[in-house]
Amino acid sequence: MSQTSSRDGRASSDTDDNHSPAPITGMLSSRLMVLANLLKRGAIVRYKRLAGLSSVEFGLVASLGRRPPMSVARLAEAVGQDKGQISRALAELVSRKLIAKSANPKDSREVLVSLTPAGLAAHDAIVEGAQERNRMLLEQLSNDELETLLAQIDRLTATAEAMLEAEKVSR
């Protein structure tokens, strides 16, 4: 029995006339989350192997990148976590000499963080791994398919942002 997905996210079968809604796992948002989670899990395994970084650590190293030092608050904002959530990972990265901390010369109460040379090497391994993973994904699509997919993702992202804002207003 072959199955297809309908536009409304319902699975249908060539021999099944029952049109009851499919489980939520058949919906577009669920399928996109599965894809995103698979990509994230694969990235975490790779970056643990290549650079010895946990998920949170890899996010911090990737966000710091080859940028000037940034405040802990700005870094927390960049990775979407609060300062308390990232403090343990920062302490671990400092102890492993991947991140350096310094006082902000403009405000000595503020701590700035930046990658050390070893941290930059870990960052470069992350970037190289990400580029390889990206190439592997893109090999599956023609140029036209990629352009279409990216345009659709942009449209869906804009719609999802509007939906989020509407939910915030509905509280």
Side-chain angles (χ1 to χ4, degrees):
M1 172 172 20
S2 66
Q3 283 198 333
T4 59
S5 279
S6 67
R7 189 171 178 85
D8 64 0
R10 295 182 298 185
S12 61
S13 166
D14 294 340
T15 60
D16 185 5
D17 290 332
N18 183 357
H19 294 291
S20 62
I24 198 166
T25 57
M27 293 181 180
L28 175 63
S29 58
S30 293
R31 293 172 75 172
L32 290 173
M33 284 189 275
V34 167
L35 173 60
N37 285 330
L38 285 169
L39 291 170
K40 181 179 179 181
R41 288 171 44 204
I44 290 168
V45 169
R46 173 175 281 227
Y47 304 138
K48 184 71 169 174
R49 177 176 47 83
L50 291 176
L53 299 173
S54 71
S55 173
V56 174
E57 292 167 347
F58 124 72
L60 296 175
V61 169
S63 293
L64 283 169
R66 293 189 167 274
R67 299 179 181 158
M70 73 172 69
S71 71
V72 175
R74 173 69 187 101
L75 179 60
E77 181 182 303
V79 297
Q81 297 178 338
D82 65 46
K83 291 190 300 186
Q85 289 176 306
I86 66 169
S87 64
R88 186 171 36 207
L90 279 175
E92 175 63 22
L93 291 168
V94 167
S95 75
R96 291 171 44 202
K97 299 186 182 351
L98 296 174
I99 288 181
K101 287 185 174 184
S102 61
N104 185 342
K106 297 177 183 170
D107 180 356
S108 61
R109 296 168 296 169
E110 185 176 60
V111 173
L112 298 179
V113 292
S114 60
L115 295 178
T116 64
L120 286 169
H123 173 266
D124 292 347
I126 289 170
V127 169
E128 186 177 322
Q131 288 172 336
E132 182 180 338
R133 291 168 50 78
N134 194 57
R135 275 191 301 276
M136 291 171 64
L137 285 171
L138 295 181
E139 287 173 356
Q140 309 307 308
L141 304 171
S142 70
N143 287 338
D144 288 343
E145 288 172 326
L146 177 60
E147 284 181 32
T148 299
L149 176 61
L150 293 176
Q152 291 169 337
I153 288 172
D154 289 346
R155 285 180 31 215
L156 292 173
T157 300
T159 300
E161 288 170 344
M163 291 166 58
L164 174 59
E165 290 306 314
E167 288 296 331
K168 289 178 180 177
V169 172
S170 298
R171 286 185 195 182

